[in-house]
Amino acid sequence: MSSPFILLNYKTYLQGTGQGAVEIAKACKEVSEESGIEIAVAPQLPDIYRVASEVEIPVFSQHLDGIGAGSFTGHVFGKAIKEAGAVGTLINHSERRLTLAEIEASLKSAKEFGLRTVICTNNVPTTAAAAALGPDYVAIEPPELIGSGIPVSKADPEVVSGSVKAVAKIDPAVKVLCGAGISKGEDLRAALDLGSQGVLLASGIVKAADPKAALEELISLV
């Protein structure tokens, strides 16, 4: 099995805002270099340039709109986040949901600018539908478990294994990430054992007293 992919979503947590975003990214970079595991970060939009400029680490946007240049006040333009230093983007996170048409438009925009894509889903049918669009990753996250500290790999392992099987039938090139409640080494190990290729996580690392130590514990069973 190849090395897992870890994507850390900062959300709007105070600890991951401004200079804090940079410090957490530095911790991620150190652990990534020590372990050989790819760790990427998704800071808030205003912090993308700051993080990408100060830390050599893959930076993702938390959202992208399927719009082009023009009269789209307040929207997130793919070229803007690309120029800011992002290499990828989340699409349809449960805290920033989109319609199917909007997901497809956002994916098209991301691909236009060469951005890696992670479409977030909440069950097996939506994961299958997302995989049919051809993103780089789908991230299965039942919303009721997000931030709960209860990993989906324990609370509902069938939704992970079922998503892995569904995606493999539709497009084997699409990778599956496991999200919701992931924070410890046993959570990552369980997610990988269920067939996922990595994890999407947030508060367990971002809000930790020592993010580097929390990351080291996360990968301890890989």
Side-chain angles (χ1 to χ4, degrees):
M1 178 182 167
S2 60
S3 177
F5 173 55
I6 296 171
L7 177 53
L8 181 61
N9 179 14
Y10 289 14
K11 302 195 177 185
T12 59
Y13 293 130
L14 185 61
Q15 296 90 334
T17 300
Q19 186 57 33
V22 174
E23 297 307 316
I24 292 174
K26 288 178 179 178
C28 290
K29 181 176 187 292
E30 290 175 9
V31 174
S32 177
E33 290 179 339
E34 292 166 2
S35 65
I37 294 173
E38 183 182 17
I39 302 176
V41 297
Q44 296 170 62
L45 290 168
D47 289 325
I48 288 176
Y49 181 78
R50 179 200 297 254
V51 173
S53 297
E54 296 188 35
V55 187
E56 192 174 339
I57 191 172
V59 178
F60 279 57
S61 175
Q62 295 181 12
H63 173 70
L64 172 66
D65 289 304
I67 52 92
S71 304
F72 299 101
T73 301
H75 289 71
V76 181
F77 180 27
K79 182 175 175 59
I81 63 169
K82 176 79 171 182
E83 292 286 338
V87 300
T89 186
L90 295 175
I91 296 172
N92 193 49
H93 190 276
S94 66
E95 295 158 0
R96 188 65 173 85
R97 289 183 177 177
L98 304 174
T99 65
L100 182 58
E102 289 169 336
I103 292 170
E104 190 168 11
S106 293
L107 183 66
K108 181 180 178 181
S109 177
K111 289 184 174 182
E112 178 184 352
F113 295 106
L115 296 166
R116 294 163 64 183
T117 50
V118 180
I119 298 181
C120 299
T121 61
N122 61 359
N123 55 41
V124 176
T126 58
T127 300
L133 298 175
D136 295 298
Y137 300 89
V138 290
I140 176 70
E141 288 193 305
E144 66 273 13
L145 296 176
I146 293 176
S148 68
I150 304 171
V152 63
S153 52
K154 285 186 178 180
D156 194 358
E158 291 78 15
V159 77
V160 181
S161 58
S163 292
V164 170
K165 291 175 183 176
V167 170
K169 288 181 181 178
I170 293 168
D171 188 347
V174 177
K175 298 184 174 84
V176 178
L177 301 180
C178 181
I182 305 293
S183 62
K184 300 177 181 178
E186 61 184 312
D187 304 335
L188 174 56
R189 181 70 266 164
L192 298 177
D193 289 343
L194 288 168
S196 71
Q197 283 92 14
V199 292
L200 171 63
L201 73 167
S203 60
I205 304 298
V206 178
K207 297 176 74 175
D210 185 342
K212 183 180 180 184
L215 281 166
E216 290 171 336
E217 201 284 326
L218 177 73
I219 65 169
S220 62
L221 299 180
V222 176

